[in-house]
Amino acid sequence: MVANNGVYRELLQRWSSKDFYNHGALQSPPDAQFFDTFGYFNPVSSTNTREGLLQLKARAIQENLSYIETMFERAPSTLDADFDRDIGQAGVDLQARMAALAAKLDGDAAFRQGVTDYIANVKASSAGVDDARFTMRYQSYVLRLLSPSQVFSSMLSGFQIASQSDQVVGLNIVGAENSGVAMRDYALHMQMFKFLKAKYPKVKLALHAGELALGMVPPEGLSFHIHDAVDVAGASRIGHGNDLAHETDALGLMKTMRERGIAVEINLTSNEFILGMSKEDHPLTLYRKFGVPFVISTDDAGVSRNNLSNEYVLFASRYPTNYGEVKKLSYDSLRYSFLAEGDKKRLIKALDGRFAAFEADIAASGKAISKR
């Protein structure tokens, strides 16, 4: 029970997109409104984690979902002033400098303990989440707004966490991509991923890339983010991918993604709110036309005040489709997940049964109606 509805309403207006477009909210630019919310969450983001995951599970089951792959917490990081200073100098051997910092961190007992503690927290927080009808897996993530040493150390811990935990199935990078630090260091971050991916080749990457629109950054800043996430960092999935039309050799990029099976996470509500992209302006039309695999996702339902069911409704209402394609998208959300193969096969088999039962019910309903 909320004691003060006015305070609760203002909290939702500040901490989410609630009321933004009916002008009842405390207005700021929509991208700032979205990304600023995470700063508000930080003081409490590590409390009641298990209760939060169980709430996610309950809502997922209500939507008839059997699997969620969600981000958990930021991978631990360490500040190294020497690394930050060296990286900014001309002629520095980046590979050698990353190797030296990785070796230093591997020998740091506190850094190793951070990895161990993260894995233990995932295990404790997720107790009771998985059962016969529902499975949840997790991604750790890196914040692209920090100093180079903090980003690199967070990436390293993230790769190690995913290598040591069966529950943490991948690593991501987040934060406003149009911010000054993110734009300045984007190519550097992709080189860091490439370096660590070579050390930990089995770790999957789902990278937020190309969450940009014309006018947000200089035009040249739109030309390479998805490409570098795919060809430099080695991403297995791309989050958003909105600046596709501005990428250098967009057709070649889509061919590569199609051939490698690199799926795009489509976030219709989020992209419309943050970037103003919807309907025919959304690059989904291009990805779809050129056979690039895609999945429907929410991109922080708490901030966007939405759920996955509504994202499917938006897709079906805005883009001509049919039952077969919507059904395929349901399967693709498992096919392009980072689940272990055994779990993937188990959930796909269960989905076969769910669709068979659903289609039988529809057929029976149709027969009943035709007899009236």
Side-chain angles (χ1 to χ4, degrees):
M1 178 71 68
V2 177
N4 189 320
N5 190 63
V7 171
Y8 181 62
R9 183 66 172 260
E10 183 173 337
L11 182 145
L12 290 180
Q13 290 173 345
R14 290 183 182 274
W15 288 28
S16 76
S17 60
K18 178 101 172 87
D19 296 330
F20 190 88
Y21 284 122
N22 65 20
H23 305 290
L26 302 159
Q27 294 281 43
S28 59
D31 59 325
Q33 175 76 17
F34 185 92
F35 288 107
D36 285 352
T37 62
F38 297 100
Y40 308 146
F41 301 148
N42 281 341
V44 295
S45 61
S46 296
T47 61
N48 301 309
T49 312
R50 182 170 179 272
E51 291 82 354
L53 294 179
L54 290 173
Q55 181 66 64
L56 283 179
K57 173 185 178 177
R59 290 178 179 175
I61 290 173
Q62 201 170 36
E63 291 190 78
N64 203 30
L65 300 177
S66 61
Y67 177 67
I68 283 182
E69 193 171 296
T70 187
M71 283 184 279
F72 187 73
E73 288 186 347
R74 180 163 66 91
S77 63
T78 300
L79 181 67
D80 190 297
D82 293 336
F83 182 86
D84 291 336
R85 182 198 62 232
D86 294 347
I87 289 300
Q89 296 178 357
V92 67
D93 186 335
L94 178 60
Q95 299 298 310
R97 199 62 192 85
M98 288 191 293
L101 181 55
K104 179 180 177 180
L105 292 169
D106 284 339
D108 185 336
F111 180 81
R112 296 197 304 272
Q113 188 62 48
V115 171
T116 299
D117 290 346
Y118 189 106
I119 295 171
N121 188 22
V122 172
K123 186 174 182 180
S125 298
S126 62
V129 171
D130 287 4
D131 57 32
R133 60 185 297 206
F134 183 78
T135 303
M136 191 181 295
R137 293 293 180 266
Y138 310 91
Q139 295 176 20
S140 61
Y141 65 87
V142 178
L143 182 60
R144 61 184 8 133
L145 311 180
L146 303 178
S147 71
S149 64
Q150 290 173 299
V151 170
F152 181 81
S153 59
S154 192
M155 279 189 197
L156 177 60
S157 66
F159 271 95
Q160 292 182 354
I161 288 164
S163 297
Q164 297 174 32
S165 170
D166 292 335
Q167 293 177 287
V168 180
V169 294
L171 178 62
N172 212 320
I173 188 167
V174 305
E177 202 172 331
N178 60 314
S179 71
V181 172
M183 293 298 294
R184 181 197 70 195
D185 292 346
Y186 189 89
L188 172 64
H189 294 162
M190 297 303 107
Q191 288 294 329
M192 290 177 175
F193 275 120
K194 180 180 180 179
F195 175 83
L196 291 169
K197 179 74 170 170
K199 291 171 63 71
Y200 302 94
K202 293 183 180 180
V203 173
K204 299 289 184 66
L205 303 178
L207 303 185
H208 283 59
E211 190 182 2
L212 300 167
L214 190 63
M216 294 180 75
V217 298
E220 56 272 16
L222 301 168
S223 65
F224 66 96
H225 281 206
I226 305 172
H227 172 274
D228 279 13
V230 170
D231 277 341
V232 178
S236 296
R237 286 203 314 261
I238 294 295
H240 300 285
N242 296 96
D243 70 7
L244 173 67
H246 302 276
E247 291 268 338
T248 301
D249 190 17
L251 292 176
L253 174 61
M254 287 191 289
K255 180 175 183 290
T256 296
M257 295 175 72
R258 182 178 68 246
E259 291 176 349
R260 295 183 190 173
I262 299 172
V264 184
E265 300 164 2
I266 298 297
N267 308 282
L268 296 174
T269 296
S270 174
N271 296 156
E272 182 173 7
F273 182 78
I274 296 174
L275 305 176
M277 285 188 179
S278 66
K279 301 179 182 177
E280 66 275 3
D281 294 331
H282 197 284
L284 170 59
T285 57
L286 289 173
Y287 288 123
R288 196 182 185 202
K289 181 176 181 178
F290 287 92
V292 177
F294 65 93
V295 294
I296 304 296
S297 50
T298 59
D299 186 35
D300 207 300
V303 176
S304 295
R305 314 301 294 172
N306 68 331
N307 59 21
L308 189 60
S309 297
N310 189 64
E311 296 301 289
Y312 271 87
V313 170
L314 288 178
F315 170 73
S317 61
R318 291 178 176 179
Y319 306 96
T321 187
N322 54 44
Y323 175 72
E325 183 180 30
V326 173
K327 181 177 179 179
K328 180 178 181 297
L329 285 171
S330 296
Y331 278 96
D332 283 350
S333 66
L334 293 174
R335 293 183 184 117
Y336 293 102
S337 74
F338 292 166
L339 274 166
E341 283 304 311
D343 288 329
K344 193 178 293 189
K345 289 178 181 178
R346 171 177 60 82
L347 289 177
I348 288 176
K349 183 177 180 180
L351 187 59
D352 289 339
R354 290 188 182 201
F355 269 113
F358 169 75
E359 289 165 2
D361 286 346
I362 294 297
S365 297
K367 290 179 181 178
I369 292 172
S370 66
K371 292 178 180 179
R372 292 181 183 176

PDB file of all heavy atoms in Angstrom, residues 69-82:
ATOM      1  N   GLU A  69      16.238 -14.025 -20.245  1.00  0.00           N
ATOM      2  CA  GLU A  69      17.675 -13.770 -20.149  1.00  0.00           C
ATOM      3  C   GLU A  69      17.823 -12.292 -19.794  1.00  0.00           C
ATOM      4  O   GLU A  69      17.535 -11.420 -20.606  1.00  0.00           O
ATOM      5  CB  GLU A  69      18.336 -14.076 -21.488  1.00  0.00           C
ATOM      6  CG  GLU A  69      19.842 -14.143 -21.451  1.00  0.00           C
ATOM      7  CD  GLU A  69      20.383 -14.674 -22.766  1.00  0.00           C
ATOM      8  OE1 GLU A  69      20.093 -15.846 -23.084  1.00  0.00           O
ATOM      9  OE2 GLU A  69      21.050 -13.900 -23.477  1.00  0.00           O
ATOM     10  N   THR A  70      18.217 -12.021 -18.579  1.00  0.00           N
ATOM     11  CA  THR A  70      18.200 -10.647 -18.093  1.00  0.00           C
ATOM     12  C   THR A  70      19.574 -10.237 -17.576  1.00  0.00           C
ATOM     13  O   THR A  70      20.389 -11.077 -17.192  1.00  0.00           O
ATOM     14  CB  THR A  70      17.154 -10.491 -16.966  1.00  0.00           C
ATOM     15  OG1 THR A  70      17.028  -9.122 -16.622  1.00  0.00           O
ATOM     16  CG2 THR A  70      17.556 -11.273 -15.715  1.00  0.00           C
ATOM     17  N   MET A  71      19.829  -8.938 -17.567  1.00  0.00           N
ATOM     18  CA  MET A  71      21.062  -8.444 -16.975  1.00  0.00           C
ATOM     19  C   MET A  71      20.933  -8.432 -15.467  1.00  0.00           C
ATOM     20  O   MET A  71      19.874  -8.097 -14.936  1.00  0.00           O
ATOM     21  CB  MET A  71      21.403  -7.059 -17.527  1.00  0.00           C
ATOM     22  CG  MET A  71      22.000  -7.141 -18.927  1.00  0.00           C
ATOM     23  SD  MET A  71      22.529  -5.568 -19.575  1.00  0.00           S
ATOM     24  CE  MET A  71      20.966  -4.925 -20.126  1.00  0.00           C
ATOM     25  N   PHE A  72      22.007  -8.792 -14.796  1.00  0.00           N
ATOM     26  CA  PHE A  72      21.981  -8.943 -13.352  1.00  0.00           C
ATOM     27  C   PHE A  72      22.566  -7.701 -12.666  1.00  0.00           C
ATOM     28  O   PHE A  72      21.848  -6.823 -12.233  1.00  0.00           O
ATOM     29  CB  PHE A  72      22.747 -10.207 -12.944  1.00  0.00           C
ATOM     30  CG  PHE A  72      22.635 -10.540 -11.484  1.00  0.00           C
ATOM     31  CD1 PHE A  72      21.450 -11.038 -10.976  1.00  0.00           C
ATOM     32  CD2 PHE A  72      23.704 -10.359 -10.629  1.00  0.00           C
ATOM     33  CE1 PHE A  72      21.332 -11.344  -9.622  1.00  0.00           C
ATOM     34  CE2 PHE A  72      23.605 -10.661  -9.283  1.00  0.00           C
ATOM     35  CZ  PHE A  72      22.413 -11.154  -8.767  1.00  0.00           C
ATOM     36  N   GLU A  73      23.873  -7.616 -12.584  1.00  0.00           N
ATOM     37  CA  GLU A  73      24.535  -6.445 -12.006  1.00  0.00           C
ATOM     38  C   GLU A  73      25.804  -6.160 -12.802  1.00  0.00           C
ATOM     39  O   GLU A  73      26.301  -7.008 -13.538  1.00  0.00           O
ATOM     40  CB  GLU A  73      24.898  -6.685 -10.537  1.00  0.00           C
ATOM     41  CG  GLU A  73      23.709  -6.688  -9.592  1.00  0.00           C
ATOM     42  CD  GLU A  73      24.129  -6.792  -8.132  1.00  0.00           C
ATOM     43  OE1 GLU A  73      25.311  -7.115  -7.873  1.00  0.00           O
ATOM     44  OE2 GLU A  73      23.285  -6.543  -7.260  1.00  0.00           O
ATOM     45  N   ARG A  74      26.325  -4.947 -12.614  1.00  0.00           N
ATOM     46  CA  ARG A  74      27.565  -4.579 -13.302  1.00  0.00           C
ATOM     47  C   ARG A  74      28.716  -5.437 -12.804  1.00  0.00           C
ATOM     48  O   ARG A  74      28.851  -5.673 -11.598  1.00  0.00           O
ATOM     49  CB  ARG A  74      27.872  -3.098 -13.081  1.00  0.00           C
ATOM     50  CG  ARG A  74      29.149  -2.620 -13.773  1.00  0.00           C
ATOM     51  CD  ARG A  74      29.194  -1.110 -13.875  1.00  0.00           C
ATOM     52  NE  ARG A  74      29.285  -0.454 -12.580  1.00  0.00           N
ATOM     53  CZ  ARG A  74      30.438  -0.143 -11.976  1.00  0.00           C
ATOM     54  NH1 ARG A  74      31.595  -0.472 -12.541  1.00  0.00           N
ATOM     55  NH2 ARG A  74      30.439   0.479 -10.821  1.00  0.00           N
ATOM     56  N   ALA A  75      29.522  -5.915 -13.730  1.00  0.00           N
ATOM     57  CA  ALA A  75      30.688  -6.704 -13.355  1.00  0.00           C
ATOM     58  C   ALA A  75      31.674  -5.825 -12.587  1.00  0.00           C
ATOM     59  O   ALA A  75      31.851  -4.646 -12.904  1.00  0.00           O
ATOM     60  CB  ALA A  75      31.354  -7.281 -14.610  1.00  0.00           C
ATOM     61  N   PRO A  76      32.322  -6.373 -11.556  1.00  0.00           N
ATOM     62  CA  PRO A  76      33.223  -5.572 -10.718  1.00  0.00           C
ATOM     63  C   PRO A  76      34.339  -4.912 -11.524  1.00  0.00           C
ATOM     64  O   PRO A  76      34.845  -5.479 -12.503  1.00  0.00           O
ATOM     65  CB  PRO A  76      33.796  -6.605  -9.743  1.00  0.00           C
ATOM     66  CG  PRO A  76      32.825  -7.734  -9.747  1.00  0.00           C
ATOM     67  CD  PRO A  76      32.236  -7.768 -11.114  1.00  0.00           C
ATOM     68  N   SER A  77      34.726  -3.720 -11.099  1.00  0.00           N
ATOM     69  CA  SER A  77      35.765  -2.967 -11.805  1.00  0.00           C
ATOM     70  C   SER A  77      36.784  -2.408 -10.816  1.00  0.00           C
ATOM     71  O   SER A  77      36.522  -2.322  -9.618  1.00  0.00           O
ATOM     72  CB  SER A  77      35.155  -1.814 -12.613  1.00  0.00           C
ATOM     73  OG  SER A  77      34.531  -0.879 -11.744  1.00  0.00           O
ATOM     74  N   THR A  78      37.945  -2.040 -11.349  1.00  0.00           N
ATOM     75  CA  THR A  78      39.034  -1.477 -10.550  1.00  0.00           C
ATOM     76  C   THR A  78      39.633  -0.299 -11.305  1.00  0.00           C
ATOM     77  O   THR A  78      39.844  -0.385 -12.518  1.00  0.00           O
ATOM     78  CB  THR A  78      40.126  -2.530 -10.283  1.00  0.00           C
ATOM     79  OG1 THR A  78      39.556  -3.636  -9.573  1.00  0.00           O
ATOM     80  CG2 THR A  78      41.274  -1.946  -9.471  1.00  0.00           C
ATOM     81  N   LEU A  79      39.906   0.771 -10.625  1.00  0.00           N
ATOM     82  CA  LEU A  79      40.539   1.944 -11.233  1.00  0.00           C
ATOM     83  C   LEU A  79      42.053   1.767 -11.256  1.00  0.00           C
ATOM     84  O   LEU A  79      42.656   1.382 -10.251  1.00  0.00           O
ATOM     85  CB  LEU A  79      40.176   3.205 -10.446  1.00  0.00           C
ATOM     86  CG  LEU A  79      40.738   4.535 -10.975  1.00  0.00           C
ATOM     87  CD1 LEU A  79      40.116   4.873 -12.322  1.00  0.00           C
ATOM     88  CD2 LEU A  79      40.481   5.652  -9.967  1.00  0.00           C
ATOM     89  N   ASP A  80      42.661   2.033 -12.406  1.00  0.00           N
ATOM     90  CA  ASP A  80      44.121   1.989 -12.542  1.00  0.00           C
ATOM     91  C   ASP A  80      44.561   3.260 -13.257  1.00  0.00           C
ATOM     92  O   ASP A  80      44.444   3.378 -14.477  1.00  0.00           O
ATOM     93  CB  ASP A  80      44.547   0.748 -13.326  1.00  0.00           C
ATOM     94  CG  ASP A  80      46.055   0.522 -13.300  1.00  0.00           C
ATOM     95  OD1 ASP A  80      46.786   1.395 -13.828  1.00  0.00           O
ATOM     96  OD2 ASP A  80      46.496  -0.508 -12.768  1.00  0.00           O
ATOM     97  N   ALA A  81      45.065   4.225 -12.490  1.00  0.00           N
ATOM     98  CA  ALA A  81      45.427   5.538 -13.038  1.00  0.00           C
ATOM     99  C   ALA A  81      46.533   5.442 -14.074  1.00  0.00           C
ATOM    100  O   ALA A  81      46.543   6.198 -15.053  1.00  0.00           O
ATOM    101  CB  ALA A  81      45.833   6.473 -11.901  1.00  0.00           C
ATOM    102  N   ASP A  82      47.469   4.508 -13.897  1.00  0.00           N
ATOM    103  CA  ASP A  82      48.569   4.366 -14.853  1.00  0.00           C
ATOM    104  C   ASP A  82      48.052   3.925 -16.216  1.00  0.00           C
ATOM    105  O   ASP A  82      48.474   4.426 -17.263  1.00  0.00           O
ATOM    106  CB  ASP A  82      49.602   3.366 -14.335  1.00  0.00           C
ATOM    107  CG  ASP A  82      50.336   3.864 -13.103  1.00  0.00           C
ATOM    108  OD1 ASP A  82      50.395   5.103 -12.909  1.00  0.00           O
ATOM    109  OD2 ASP A  82      50.845   3.029 -12.338  1.00  0.00           O
TER     110      ASP A  82
END
